[in-house]
PDB file of all heavy atoms in Angstrom:
ATOM      1  N   PRO A  59     -12.771 -49.339-154.102  1.00  0.00           N
ATOM      2  CA  PRO A  59     -13.120 -48.867-152.757  1.00  0.00           C
ATOM      3  C   PRO A  59     -14.569 -49.209-152.424  1.00  0.00           C
ATOM      4  O   PRO A  59     -15.418 -49.282-153.311  1.00  0.00           O
ATOM      5  CB  PRO A  59     -12.923 -47.352-152.838  1.00  0.00           C
ATOM      6  CG  PRO A  59     -12.967 -47.026-154.288  1.00  0.00           C
ATOM      7  CD  PRO A  59     -12.527 -48.247-155.033  1.00  0.00           C
ATOM      8  N   PRO A  60     -14.856 -49.430-151.151  1.00  0.00           N
ATOM      9  CA  PRO A  60     -16.235 -49.762-150.768  1.00  0.00           C
ATOM     10  C   PRO A  60     -17.168 -48.573-150.998  1.00  0.00           C
ATOM     11  O   PRO A  60     -16.748 -47.416-150.944  1.00  0.00           O
ATOM     12  CB  PRO A  60     -16.125 -50.090-149.277  1.00  0.00           C
ATOM     13  CG  PRO A  60     -14.865 -49.441-148.827  1.00  0.00           C
ATOM     14  CD  PRO A  60     -13.952 -49.374-150.014  1.00  0.00           C
ATOM     15  N   ALA A  61     -18.407 -48.876-151.263  1.00  0.00           N
ATOM     16  CA  ALA A  61     -19.410 -47.822-151.433  1.00  0.00           C
ATOM     17  C   ALA A  61     -19.757 -47.235-150.072  1.00  0.00           C
ATOM     18  O   ALA A  61     -19.595 -47.884-149.041  1.00  0.00           O
ATOM     19  CB  ALA A  61     -20.663 -48.409-152.076  1.00  0.00           C
ATOM     20  N   MET A  62     -20.270 -46.003-150.067  1.00  0.00           N
ATOM     21  CA  MET A  62     -20.678 -45.368-148.817  1.00  0.00           C
ATOM     22  C   MET A  62     -21.870 -46.132-148.255  1.00  0.00           C
ATOM     23  O   MET A  62     -22.741 -46.566-148.994  1.00  0.00           O
ATOM     24  CB  MET A  62     -21.079 -43.912-149.078  1.00  0.00           C
ATOM     25  CG  MET A  62     -21.427 -43.177-147.799  1.00  0.00           C
ATOM     26  SD  MET A  62     -22.102 -41.508-148.007  1.00  0.00           S
ATOM     27  CE  MET A  62     -21.300 -40.869-149.407  1.00  0.00           C
ATOM     28  N   SER A  63     -21.898 -46.298-146.958  1.00  0.00           N
ATOM     29  CA  SER A  63     -23.037 -47.008-146.361  1.00  0.00           C
ATOM     30  C   SER A  63     -24.295 -46.165-146.451  1.00  0.00           C
ATOM     31  O   SER A  63     -24.227 -44.935-146.554  1.00  0.00           O
ATOM     32  CB  SER A  63     -22.725 -47.330-144.888  1.00  0.00           C
ATOM     33  OG  SER A  63     -22.754 -46.139-144.127  1.00  0.00           O
ATOM     34  N   VAL A  64     -25.414 -46.793-146.376  1.00  0.00           N
ATOM     35  CA  VAL A  64     -26.702 -46.086-146.423  1.00  0.00           C
ATOM     36  C   VAL A  64     -26.832 -45.186-145.212  1.00  0.00           C
ATOM     37  O   VAL A  64     -27.293 -44.054-145.304  1.00  0.00           O
ATOM     38  CB  VAL A  64     -27.862 -47.101-146.495  1.00  0.00           C
ATOM     39  CG1 VAL A  64     -29.205 -46.396-146.392  1.00  0.00           C
ATOM     40  CG2 VAL A  64     -27.777 -47.914-147.778  1.00  0.00           C
ATOM     41  N   GLN A  65     -26.388 -45.658-144.043  1.00  0.00           N
ATOM     42  CA  GLN A  65     -26.502 -44.859-142.812  1.00  0.00           C
ATOM     43  C   GLN A  65     -25.630 -43.617-142.912  1.00  0.00           C
ATOM     44  O   GLN A  65     -26.017 -42.550-142.452  1.00  0.00           O
ATOM     45  CB  GLN A  65     -26.069 -45.708-141.627  1.00  0.00           C
ATOM     46  CG  GLN A  65     -27.002 -46.876-141.365  1.00  0.00           C
ATOM     47  CD  GLN A  65     -26.428 -47.872-140.384  1.00  0.00           C
ATOM     48  OE1 GLN A  65     -25.238 -47.864-140.124  1.00  0.00           O
ATOM     49  NE2 GLN A  65     -27.275 -48.730-139.874  1.00  0.00           N
ATOM     50  N   GLY A  66     -24.465 -43.732-143.532  1.00  0.00           N
ATOM     51  CA  GLY A  66     -23.562 -42.580-143.645  1.00  0.00           C
ATOM     52  C   GLY A  66     -24.054 -41.533-144.612  1.00  0.00           C
ATOM     53  O   GLY A  66     -23.684 -40.370-144.544  1.00  0.00           O
ATOM     54  N   ALA A  67     -24.939 -41.902-145.513  1.00  0.00           N
ATOM     55  CA  ALA A  67     -25.439 -40.958-146.515  1.00  0.00           C
ATOM     56  C   ALA A  67     -26.377 -39.924-145.914  1.00  0.00           C
ATOM     57  O   ALA A  67     -26.543 -38.842-146.461  1.00  0.00           O
ATOM     58  CB  ALA A  67     -26.149 -41.719-147.634  1.00  0.00           C
ATOM     59  N   ASP A  68     -27.029 -40.237-144.784  1.00  0.00           N
ATOM     60  CA  ASP A  68     -27.983 -39.316-144.171  1.00  0.00           C
ATOM     61  C   ASP A  68     -27.313 -38.284-143.272  1.00  0.00           C
ATOM     62  O   ASP A  68     -27.929 -37.296-142.908  1.00  0.00           O
ATOM     63  CB  ASP A  68     -29.021 -40.093-143.347  1.00  0.00           C
ATOM     64  CG  ASP A  68     -29.923 -40.927-144.246  1.00  0.00           C
ATOM     65  OD1 ASP A  68     -30.074 -40.560-145.431  1.00  0.00           O
ATOM     66  OD2 ASP A  68     -30.483 -41.933-143.762  1.00  0.00           O
ATOM     67  N   ARG A  69     -26.071 -38.487-142.916  1.00  0.00           N
ATOM     68  CA  ARG A  69     -25.383 -37.572-141.998  1.00  0.00           C
ATOM     69  C   ARG A  69     -24.744 -36.420-142.770  1.00  0.00           C
ATOM     70  O   ARG A  69     -24.123 -36.622-143.789  1.00  0.00           O
ATOM     71  CB  ARG A  69     -24.306 -38.314-141.231  1.00  0.00           C
ATOM     72  CG  ARG A  69     -24.880 -39.398-140.347  1.00  0.00           C
ATOM     73  CD  ARG A  69     -23.792 -40.057-139.579  1.00  0.00           C
ATOM     74  NE  ARG A  69     -24.337 -41.216-138.867  1.00  0.00           N
ATOM     75  CZ  ARG A  69     -23.626 -42.190-138.400  1.00  0.00           C
ATOM     76  NH1 ARG A  69     -22.326 -42.181-138.552  1.00  0.00           N
ATOM     77  NH2 ARG A  69     -24.207 -43.190-137.777  1.00  0.00           N
TER      78      ARG A  69
END
Side-chain angles (χ1 to χ4, degrees):
M62 184 187 326
S63 71
V64 174
Q65 294 168 344
D68 292 335
R69 297 182 187 161

